[in-house]
Amino acid sequence: RFLTEMAEVTVIVMERFDIPDNNIYDDGDSVNPPATEDIPAEGYNRVVAGDEATYTVYTPEGLEAWRKEAHEGTYAGSDNTVAVINLILGADIVLPVPAEGESNWIPVGSASDPYDGVIDGRGHTIRNMTIVSNSSEHVGFIANADNHTAGDVIFENLKFADVNISTKGGCTGALVGFVASEDGIIRNVHILGGKINSTSRYTGGIVGDSSYGNAVIDNCSNSAEINGETSVGGLAGDGYVINSRNSGN
């Protein structure tokens, strides 16, 4: 094992890269897809326990329902009554390809109201996520995250295929732009192709900047093309990365 310093990113490269059992390097096809009759008409199931709601989503419409509650604080058109909105993927999600110059995803969370839930992709893939932003806001599937207690796994077992992100904002990554979670763990997240372009700093395949709370990026990979102004990395623009690899440009 040896330690390498590149820009502001600390990368530990292991002698052997362990590929998990969920076949993370496949072409993004379904992992145990549910039977059609098992998918709810709404495209999701929502279970509430205490002050947390957990969505299991199966369709783009179900994912949008989760986003509305997680980001906008609304459930079924009304204000929600829980504080934390978690996400589980029950199937691969193929987002519709938008018109040129338009987006099909609005990032969840903000600097003033970061996302504080947990995401488990269960080995599934979100395909065609496209974000075009001319603002200075952080950008990713999640814009800003500050999750749970120190040492928790906050995002895991998730793949993004054919991402397309173009932004002027700082802190950009396919999964999350900025992570403030103290010692949080991002595990088994994989970016399978696409392009991430930023004209600002802190740009990475998985995360833009995860250094604030010392979050750990573990057993992740990126094959998307990454372009940014300064602090640019295959996995993270700035952060702590272990047992992971980058094959993108």
Side-chain angles (χ1 to χ4, degrees), residues 49-99:
D51 66 347
E52 297 191 16
T54 298
Y55 280 71
T56 301
V57 306
Y58 302 91
T59 66
E61 294 78 12
L63 191 65
E64 175 62 12
W66 165 80
R67 190 199 67 79
K68 280 182 176 291
E69 185 165 7
H71 183 66
E72 301 175 9
T74 59
Y75 169 63
S78 303
D79 291 344
N80 69 20
T81 58
V82 295
V84 178
I85 314 297
N86 302 313
L87 172 65
I88 295 171
L89 292 189
D92 291 352
I93 306 294
V94 180
L95 297 174
V97 177

Side-chain angles (χ1 to χ4, degrees), residues 71-133:
H71 183 66
E72 301 175 9
T74 59
Y75 169 63
S78 303
D79 291 344
N80 69 20
T81 58
V82 295
V84 178
I85 314 297
N86 302 313
L87 172 65
I88 295 171
L89 292 189
D92 291 352
I93 306 294
V94 180
L95 297 174
V97 177
E100 186 174 354
E102 296 185 1
S103 303
N104 62 14
W105 185 253
I106 300 173
V108 173
S110 64
S112 60
D113 186 18
Y115 177 69
D116 60 355
V118 171
I119 297 176
D120 185 350
R122 300 285 174 90
H124 291 293
T125 301
I126 296 174
R127 187 177 292 275
N128 299 331
M129 182 181 72
T130 302
I131 303 171
V132 179
S133 174

Side-chain angles (χ1 to χ4, degrees), residues 146-162:
D146 191 353
N147 319 51
H148 288 253
T149 57
D152 280 354
V153 175
I154 51 178
F155 305 125
E156 64 177 343
N157 305 326
L158 177 60
K159 294 178 282 188
F160 291 89
D162 303 321

Side-chain angles (χ1 to χ4, degrees), residues 17 22 33 76 89 95 115 138 160 183 192 208 216 228 232 234:
F17 187 90
N22 63 355
L89 292 189
L95 297 174
Y115 177 69
H138 301 161
F160 291 89
D183 297 325
L192 307 175
V216 177
V232 179

